């Protein structure tokens, strides 16, 4: 599979008011990525075949394995073998943090809730201290731009998307069959390119679960904007971790669920 091929055509039977007829549909591609850390098989991620190096690095950041740029030595993606090989700093102590070998499906991101090979649950991240403030009008504009950029979703209905924004500008846009993967790809790119996040925002297409909230917290992003709804546990974590959460950001409306002091109304 071409690493940049995100869709494939397929003949299907479609039924509508005009009856049954054969049409060509566009289907989103799904693949797997096996992550090796220091030659140890650590996890298999189910994902879209793009920006997989970012995905693997972001996943390890979200799991608490990589914490600073100096922890990482090399990242080598083998697209044909659907594998990525990561070497860490030899001084990094990983014995109690390497997660057990497992498959992470698009609907089952495990950041913050997985258990390591030694039976250790990763510690929750500390609260975020940020003086960032944003106008409600800017939030609506960013959500609208995310939707406009979501061309793959518009064509297939088969992916989620997320973006990292500063002010009124989207800096990074990602899309994937897994909603958790979109955040890991952003995290991985920021980690590798040493992009600060404490003055940034995440705009997200999917539901804000506790796992999505924890991924945002581990990125150290203070504001999470979603077109969908949050869960009660996500909001409890948001209050404790001092993350501003906005949901149902669509058209000219939005709802503020946590830490509204960062939103200028």
């Amino acid at each position: 599979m071409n690493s940049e091929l995100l869709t494939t055509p397929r003949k299907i039977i479609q039924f509508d008011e005009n009856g049954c007829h054969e049409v060509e549909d566009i289907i989103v591609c799904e693949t797997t990525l096996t992550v090796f850390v220091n030659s140890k098989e650590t996890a298999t991620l189910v994902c879209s075949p793009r920006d997989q190096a970012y995905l693997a690095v972001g996943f390890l950041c979200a799991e608490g394995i990589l914490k600073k740029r100096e922890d990482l030595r090399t990242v080598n993606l083998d697209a044909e073998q659907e594998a990525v090989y990561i070497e860490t700093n030899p001084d990094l102590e990983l014995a109690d943090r390497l997660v057990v070998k497992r498959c992470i499906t698009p609907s089952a991101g495990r950041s913050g809730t997985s258990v390591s090979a030694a039976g250790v649950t990763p510690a929750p991240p500390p609260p975020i201290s940020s003086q960032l403030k944003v106008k409600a009008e800017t939030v609506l504009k960013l959500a609208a731009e995310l939707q406009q950029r979501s061309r793959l979703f518009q064509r297939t209905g088969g992916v989620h998307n997320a973006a990292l924004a500063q002010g009124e500008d989207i800096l990074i846009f990602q899309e994937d069959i897994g909603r958790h993967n979109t955040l890991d790809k952003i995290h991985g790119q920021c980690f590798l390119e040493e992009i600060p996040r404490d003055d940034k925002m995440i705009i997200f297409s999917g539901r804000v679960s506790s796992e999505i909230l924890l991924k945002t917290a581990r990125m150290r992003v203070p504001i999470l904007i979603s077109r969908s709804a949050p869960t009660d546990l996500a909001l409890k974590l948001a209050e404790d971790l001092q993350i501003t959460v906005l949901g149902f950001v669509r058209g000219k409306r939005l709802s503020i669920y946590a830490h509204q002091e960062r939103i200028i109304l």
Side-chain angles (χ1 to χ4, degrees):
M1 179 185 291
N2 186 315
S3 63
E4 292 300 311
L5 182 61
L6 297 182
T7 63
T8 184
R10 184 180 180 89
K11 296 290 186 181
I12 66 169
I13 301 299
Q14 189 173 78
F15 176 79
D16 56 26
E17 64 272 13
N18 297 316
C20 290
H21 45 280
E22 185 178 76
V23 299
E24 184 173 272
D25 199 6
I26 301 298
I27 308 299
V28 69
C29 293
E30 174 181 331
T31 188
T32 60
L33 179 70
T34 301
V35 181
F36 293 84
V37 180
N38 299 336
S39 301
K40 178 179 179 180
E41 185 176 346
T42 301
T44 296
L45 310 177
V46 180
C47 59
S48 296
R50 176 181 285 173
D51 289 337
Q52 292 173 310
Y54 288 156
L55 171 62
V57 170
F59 172 76
L60 295 178
C61 289
E63 291 290 329
I65 295 171
L66 297 176
K67 293 187 176 180
K68 56 184 184 298
R69 187 62 181 83
E70 293 76 17
D71 292 340
L72 182 64
R73 294 185 66 186
T74 61
V75 181
N76 293 302
L77 175 67
D78 187 332
E80 290 187 1
Q81 296 296 320
E82 299 182 342
V84 61
Y85 300 89
I86 293 174
E87 295 293 325
T88 68
N89 187 319
D91 296 330
L92 189 64
E93 296 182 2
L94 294 175
D96 65 344
R97 283 191 284 154
L98 277 180
V99 292
V100 296
K101 176 183 172 182
R102 64 193 194 279
C103 181
I104 310 299
T105 67
S107 61
R110 299 300 298 164
S111 173
T113 60
S114 60
V115 177
S116 74
V120 178
T121 301
I128 294 177
S129 176
S130 172
Q131 302 304 312
L132 177 64
K133 292 183 182 295
V134 61
K135 293 180 179 179
E137 291 83 359
T138 299
V139 170
L140 294 170
K141 178 181 177 181
L142 290 170
E145 185 173 351
L146 181 76
Q147 186 176 18
Q148 291 170 7
R149 292 197 185 198
S150 305
R151 297 184 183 89
L152 185 58
F153 173 79
Q154 293 164 13
R155 292 176 63 201
T156 67
V159 295
H160 292 277
N161 45 74
L164 184 77
Q166 182 177 36
E168 296 186 352
D169 300 320
I170 286 182
L171 307 179
I172 298 173
F173 174 81
Q174 287 289 356
E175 50 197 350
D176 196 279
I177 60 168
R179 59 195 177 100
H180 299 83
N181 294 348
T182 63
L183 295 187
D184 283 343
K185 286 180 176 181
I186 291 174
H187 198 167
Q189 183 172 352
C190 289
F191 184 87
L192 289 170
E193 298 177 9
E194 300 184 272
I195 299 172
R197 283 94 68 189
D198 60 349
D199 60 346
K200 308 295 193 298
M201 297 168 280
I202 289 289
I203 309 98
F204 184 59
S205 65
R207 181 181 72 255
V208 178
S209 66
S210 59
E211 292 160 345
I212 293 297
L213 195 285
L214 283 168
K215 284 184 181 288
T216 303
R218 292 194 187 281
M219 270 194 280
R220 312 308 293 159
V221 175
I223 298 177
L224 174 57
I225 302 163
S226 173
R227 287 180 50 81
S228 190
T231 67
D232 64 335
L233 181 53
L235 294 181
K236 182 181 184 303
L237 289 168
E239 291 291 353
D240 293 341
L241 299 176
Q242 298 178 21
I243 295 176
T244 298
V245 176
L246 300 98
F248 295 108
V249 185
R250 306 173 184 178
K252 297 182 179 180
R253 299 180 61 183
L254 57 79
S255 298
I256 306 171
Y257 289 91
H259 288 283
Q260 67 178 30
E261 67 273 6
R262 293 195 181 103
I263 306 302
I264 303 171
L265 300 174

